[in-house]
Amino acid sequence: MYDLNWVRNQFPGLHNSGDIFMDNAGGSQIARQAITGVQEFMTGCNVQLGADYSTSQEAARRVAQAQSAITTWLNARRPEEVIVGPSSTWLTRLLSLQLMQTWQAGDEVIITDVDHEANRGCWLDLQAQGIVIRHWTVNTQSHELETAELKKLLSHKTKLVCCTHVSNIYGHINPIKEWTEIVHQYGAKICVDGVAYAPHRLPDVQDLDVDYYFFSFYKTFGPHQAVLYGKHQCLKRLPGINHHFIKDTPYRFQPGNVNYELMCGIHGAIRYLQKLGQQEKRNTSLRDDLITAYRVMADYEETLIEPLTEFINNHGNMHIIGDAIADKSQRVATLSFTHNQLSSQEIVQSANRQGLGIRYGDFYAVELINTLGLRDQQGVVRASFAHYNSPEEVNQLVTFLKQF
């Protein structure tokens, strides 16, 4: 049995507000263990790393443990492949500035009109240096990025393909492993946005064989930081952005080093997920605990989103944007919809006045909202659930929507 009471008790913020949090794709609640990780570092060993005295050694040990845990979370081959920074937007910008130095005018980058601007804007800016941007556009009828269209765009000039594992509007899980295989056949690399995927499904960068992969910890039950994975052989070819005498990876890409206390907060979020997995099954490794935790989360979140999906599908004036299903094999618990007569803003602001924390807009998927012609509609209404939401909360949202 899924112990929802235990889960909710691990998130203090759920009990300190009158709002029902259904905007989790914008930012999740933080796990108690993550808060404790920050606090214990700052009160127990808040010193600079690299000294010989014992407190500094302990601080270094805790940060290294966090780096190792993140490596396991991603299933990266080695800790050197894990770069931590302030945000996904910052890390992709860093990556673009680094890759630019290894490319030349006429080289091509493929981007989509589905992605969050974090995986678009930094690449578009490279046009000023002569990089050619090719646009992989969504089929507005099927709401899919079609593999056949990707193949048409790829050429011997392609250096990088940028796409999302899960759109923060659609919630649909894209076939990244298939796309990666195709991209590699052309000798190109792939950079995948996992921000909307990682809170719901466990990333596995080795299985996907991706070259770069990033997501945000503050949307994944931790503090406001992010991670960028890069294959070791890819990172070795980049010049680095830190002081010229710093040669070690990932430190070459972390100017001023990582935020130590937030690294410990991230480790706390991982410990929470580990414990969640252990509620279901006692495993022999952290990775196995994470696999179990995410399986439990996916199973539960499918039951959460089913009543809302069913209601909207049977509503004459509301329409789900993308897959109108709850199937966990095809989507995560992020659902966007529109109304035929009302703007998304009207619906959401009315909901907010009743303490229902949903949201409207483009969610920085600016080009997708433009492509779908939803700008005048004020974007979409989005309800995004996490594994700590309750069926009662979903029912409250459904009951509210019945008035429209």
Side-chain angles (χ1 to χ4, degrees):
M1 294 291 292
Y2 185 70
D3 192 347
L4 180 59
N5 287 333
W6 179 86
V7 169
R8 289 178 67 85
N9 284 332
Q10 308 312 304
F11 293 89
L14 295 177
H15 310 287
N16 295 327
S17 172
D19 288 325
I20 295 174
F21 296 112
M22 293 181 284
D23 181 33
N24 296 289
S28 71
Q29 290 298 297
I30 185 169
R32 187 185 306 278
Q33 291 91 329
I35 299 169
T36 301
V38 174
Q39 182 182 28
E40 288 182 346
F41 182 90
M42 299 195 77
T43 57
C45 53
N46 188 31
V47 297
Q48 183 58 274
L49 278 56
D52 293 330
Y53 59 91
S54 61
T55 307
S56 179
Q57 294 293 303
E58 173 62 17
R61 184 185 69 82
R62 293 189 191 185
V63 173
Q65 284 181 331
Q67 183 83 3
S68 176
I70 299 167
T71 303
T72 300
W73 196 352
L74 286 159
N75 198 29
R77 292 171 181 83
R78 52 204 294 178
E80 292 85 355
E81 295 179 318
V82 174
I83 301 167
V84 176
S87 68
S88 290
T89 300
W90 189 93
L91 288 171
T92 50
R93 177 69 63 176
L94 177 153
L95 180 62
S96 71
L97 294 173
Q98 295 292 288
L99 285 171
M100 179 184 69
Q101 297 178 60
T102 70
W103 294 340
Q104 58 187 2
D107 287 341
E108 297 181 357
V109 173
I110 297 173
I111 66 173
T112 84
D113 59 352
V114 171
D115 277 67
H116 185 287
E117 277 298 302
N119 209 20
R120 284 178 46 85
C122 59
W123 309 113
L124 285 166
D125 287 349
L126 299 187
Q127 291 176 113
Q129 281 69 46
I131 302 302
V132 177
I133 303 298
R134 306 289 298 277
H135 296 270
W136 183 9
T137 57
V138 70
N139 182 320
T140 56
Q141 300 303 311
S142 67
H143 294 284
E144 291 187 2
L145 288 165
E146 296 178 341
T147 303
E149 294 303 309
L150 170 62
K151 291 178 179 179
K152 292 177 185 178
L153 294 170
L154 284 161
S155 75
H156 69 280
K157 293 184 178 181
T158 307
K159 292 297 182 181
L160 187 69
V161 174
C162 305
C163 56
T164 185
H165 207 157
V166 167
S167 159
N168 68 352
I169 298 290
Y170 286 136
H172 174 77
I173 302 172
N174 287 320
I176 296 300
K177 190 172 182 177
E178 177 189 353
W179 292 349
T180 297
E181 184 177 350
I182 293 168
V183 169
H184 286 168
Q185 289 172 2
Y186 284 81
K189 306 300 183 186
I190 189 166
C191 177
V192 179
D193 175 356
V195 173
Y197 181 87
H200 307 282
R201 303 290 187 274
L202 181 62
D204 188 336
V205 295
Q206 288 194 62
D207 180 62
L208 295 172
D209 197 29
V210 289
D211 302 291
Y212 305 102
Y213 192 96
F214 63 89
F215 68 87
S216 300
F217 295 116
Y218 75 95
K219 299 184 180 184
T220 319
F221 324 119
H224 204 118
Q225 291 282 274
V227 62
L228 169 67
Y229 159 83
K231 280 184 179 175
H232 187 63
Q233 60 266 35
C234 293
L235 296 180
K236 282 197 305 183
R237 299 188 183 102
L238 301 182
I241 201 170
N242 211 335
H243 304 303
H244 67 89
F245 51 82
I246 293 174
K247 307 299 183 184
D248 294 337
T249 301
Y251 194 17
R252 289 191 303 127
F253 306 104
Q254 294 171 161
N257 215 324
V258 294
N259 182 306
Y260 304 145
E261 63 268 22
L262 296 188
M263 284 290 283
C264 293
I266 295 165
H267 195 189
I270 296 170
R271 285 196 296 269
Y272 159 70
L273 290 169
Q274 180 180 25
K275 194 165 185 180
L276 175 62
Q278 291 172 348
Q279 297 286 310
E280 174 78 10
K281 177 183 176 184
R282 287 288 175 175
N283 297 294
T284 57
S285 70
L286 170 59
R287 181 69 187 181
D288 287 340
D289 287 335
L290 293 174
I291 290 170
T292 301
Y294 272 90
R295 176 180 57 78
V296 169
M297 289 159 59
D299 289 345
Y300 176 70
E301 288 175 0
E302 182 182 58
T303 68
L304 274 184
I305 202 170
E306 278 177 340
L308 180 60
T309 304
E310 182 179 0
F311 170 76
I312 296 176
N313 283 337
N314 291 309
H315 193 292
N317 285 317
M318 292 183 187
H319 307 280
I320 293 173
I321 305 299
D323 291 335
I325 56 173
D327 187 344
K328 65 185 177 185
S329 69
Q330 297 186 48
R331 69 168 306 125
V332 301
T334 296
L335 189 144
S336 301
F337 62 93
T338 56
H339 192 284
N340 287 343
Q341 277 84 47
L342 301 173
S343 74
S344 298
Q345 181 181 25
E346 289 177 88
I347 294 172
V348 169
Q349 289 184 343
S350 178
N352 293 163
R353 287 192 289 270
Q354 297 190 32
L356 299 173
I358 59 174
R359 200 164 175 176
Y360 72 94
D362 58 34
F363 305 99
Y364 284 29
V366 174
E367 198 58 33
L368 177 58
I369 295 303
N370 292 339
T371 298
L372 296 177
L374 296 175
R375 182 62 56 191
D376 291 342
Q377 181 81 10
Q378 301 297 318
V380 298
V381 178
R382 188 180 73 180
S384 49
F385 304 112
H387 67 287
Y388 46 66
N389 284 116
S390 69
E392 292 75 20
E393 290 174 336
V394 178
N395 288 337
Q396 283 185 250
L397 176 59
V398 169
T399 298
F400 164 79
L401 291 174
K402 286 179 179 178
Q403 67 183 291
F404 302 106

